[in-house]
Amino acid sequence: MKVVVLTGGVGGAKLVLGLQHALPPGDLTAVVNVGDDFTHLGLRVCPDLDTLLYTLAGKSNTEQGWGRAGEGWRFMEELRSLGAPDWFNLGDRDLAIHVLRTAALAQGEPLSAVMDRLRTAWAVPTRILPASDQHLATMLDTDEGRLAFQTYFVARRCEPQVERVVLEGVDAAQMAPGVGEAIAAADGVILAPSNPYLSVDPILAIPGMAETLRGAHVVAVTPVLPGRSFKGPTARMMTDFGHAVDSGTVARHYAEVANILVVDPDETVAGSPIRIAHAPVTMNSLDEKVALAEACLRLLQ
Ligand code: FO1
Ligand code: CA
């Protein structure tokens, strides 16, 4: 069963790992947000692509969500001693991927080709495609002015109030080679439980994407976790935008693109414009990730 999953970093990568276990090798393509990408100290950093690559290769720091397991920080110590900016942490192991990617991009290799080489080197069976090979930058209009994504997220810890998300460069961007073909050939498309505004929208906004998805069977998974303790940037932004922090907000947000929204059995969604399905959405263990993946695949059959 051929499946395409549209995903951001941490939250989405957990479901993609479950899907990788649930599907035969070669059946899964991940289309990944590039709006978080930026150039730092001359290095091209692609957090969502790398988070997914590390997760699918079994090399991610699972407590932190991003970055490498068994990471070392001597490069950062050295930077600090030299008085260089240290607000964004580049680990010693993580550094390898940024150096290789930056060098390859400078030689004219497209981002999609670079990422395909890296996932092949680590025998990752899932195709990892950037949503676009062009630069598009997620910017946030906030009460502190317009902030670049990593400034808002890492340097300012999501504290500024967000008024609007602006995707710089999106109108000139194209889907990366293989993205449209993978969606056209897929039995279904899954929207991973990533931040709808910061991770999934920057993929959906690429010219041609909405048209490509129109005929597809699309199942979205809510990023809203059960219980009253759901926090983090997704909850914060729902509040900033004047919406309730619940899956009803997600259902209305995805009404034009998704056929079904998967929410936790503990959550009731009233008046959803799309079909609601229930499956446990907490993904702490690998078993929970695979179980949610299998629930999504059943909905695509
Ligand atoms: N997130 C942080 O909160 N602090 C960091 O210092 C940091 C460094 C970092 C380095 C490489 C990388 O691929 C991701 C990194 N992230 C860091 C996560 C990154 O900012 C992601 O965009 C967020 O997790 C949102 O998806
Ligand atoms: Ca992200």
Side-chain angles (χ1 to χ4, degrees):
M1 184 186 195
K2 301 268 188 237
V3 174
V4 173
V5 55
L6 310 189
T7 185
V10 187
K14 292 183 183 180
L15 180 65
V16 184
L17 181 61
L19 288 164
Q20 178 170 277
H21 279 264
L23 285 164
D27 274 16
L28 182 61
T29 300
V31 174
V32 185
N33 171 42
V34 293
D36 299 11
D37 297 8
F38 76 131
T39 301
H40 185 61
L41 301 172
L43 298 169
R44 192 68 186 159
V45 179
C46 304
D48 286 356
L49 282 164
D50 293 353
T51 297
L52 185 64
L53 176 63
Y54 292 153
T55 300
L56 297 183
K59 295 174 185 289
S60 67
N61 179 331
T62 47
E63 289 93 70
Q64 200 169 233
W66 51 270
R68 283 283 279 109
E71 189 56 283
W73 300 101
R74 300 180 76 159
F75 174 70
M76 288 306 297
E77 284 166 22
E78 205 67 7
L79 279 184
R80 238 167 255 129
S81 78
L82 292 165
D86 67 351
W87 63 275
F88 195 79
N89 294 287
L90 295 175
D92 300 342
R93 289 181 181 277
D94 189 36
L95 202 48
I97 219 168
H98 308 306
V99 169
L100 282 178
R101 177 170 41 223
T102 304
L105 293 172
Q107 297 287 322
E109 191 176 353
L111 180 60
S112 52
V114 180
M115 295 314 298
D116 199 55
R117 269 198 302 119
L118 298 176
R119 70 102 182 172
T120 305
W122 280 344
V124 170
T126 301
R127 242 175 122 196
I128 298 178
L129 291 174
S132 178
D133 277 337
Q134 281 87 42
H135 286 191
L136 60 105
T138 302
M139 309 291 290
L140 293 309
D141 280 345
T142 74
D143 54 356
E144 297 180 4
R146 182 166 292 191
L147 302 178
F149 177 82
Q150 298 297 342
T151 306
Y152 164 77
F153 196 92
V154 177
R156 293 292 299 113
R157 298 171 190 283
C158 304
E159 280 163 16
Q161 182 163 335
V162 178
E163 285 144 19
R164 203 163 70 102
V165 179
V166 179
L167 302 172
E168 276 184 8
V170 73
D171 293 337
Q174 293 160 278
M175 291 184 278
V179 171
E181 294 83 345
I183 294 171
D187 297 295
V189 175
I190 295 171
L191 307 187
S194 296
N195 186 312
Y197 315 108
L198 295 178
S199 296
V200 181
D201 281 359
I203 304 175
L204 298 176
I206 294 169
M209 186 64 78
E211 292 71 26
T212 306
L213 285 171
R214 199 148 289 149
H217 192 34
V218 180
V219 171
V221 179
T222 187
V224 177
L225 296 170
R228 280 165 299 176
S229 59
F230 176 65
K231 293 197 182 80
T234 305
R236 179 68 210 276
M237 288 178 74
M238 286 175 169
T239 306
D240 287 353
F241 294 159
H243 302 310
V245 182
D246 60 28
S247 291
T249 295
V250 182
R252 283 183 286 279
H253 189 77
Y254 288 143
E256 296 297 313
V257 62
N259 305 99
I260 304 176
L261 179 69
V262 179
V263 311
D264 198 81
D266 285 348
E267 198 181 2
T268 313
V269 181
S272 170
I274 56 173
R275 186 183 148 198
I276 298 293
H278 288 95
V281 295
T282 306
M283 292 185 284
N284 294 324
S285 66
L286 178 60
D287 282 352
E288 288 172 340
K289 295 176 179 78
V290 176
L292 180 56
E294 286 173 342
C296 293
L297 295 175
R298 278 194 297 276
L299 291 167
L300 290 175
Q301 272 158 5

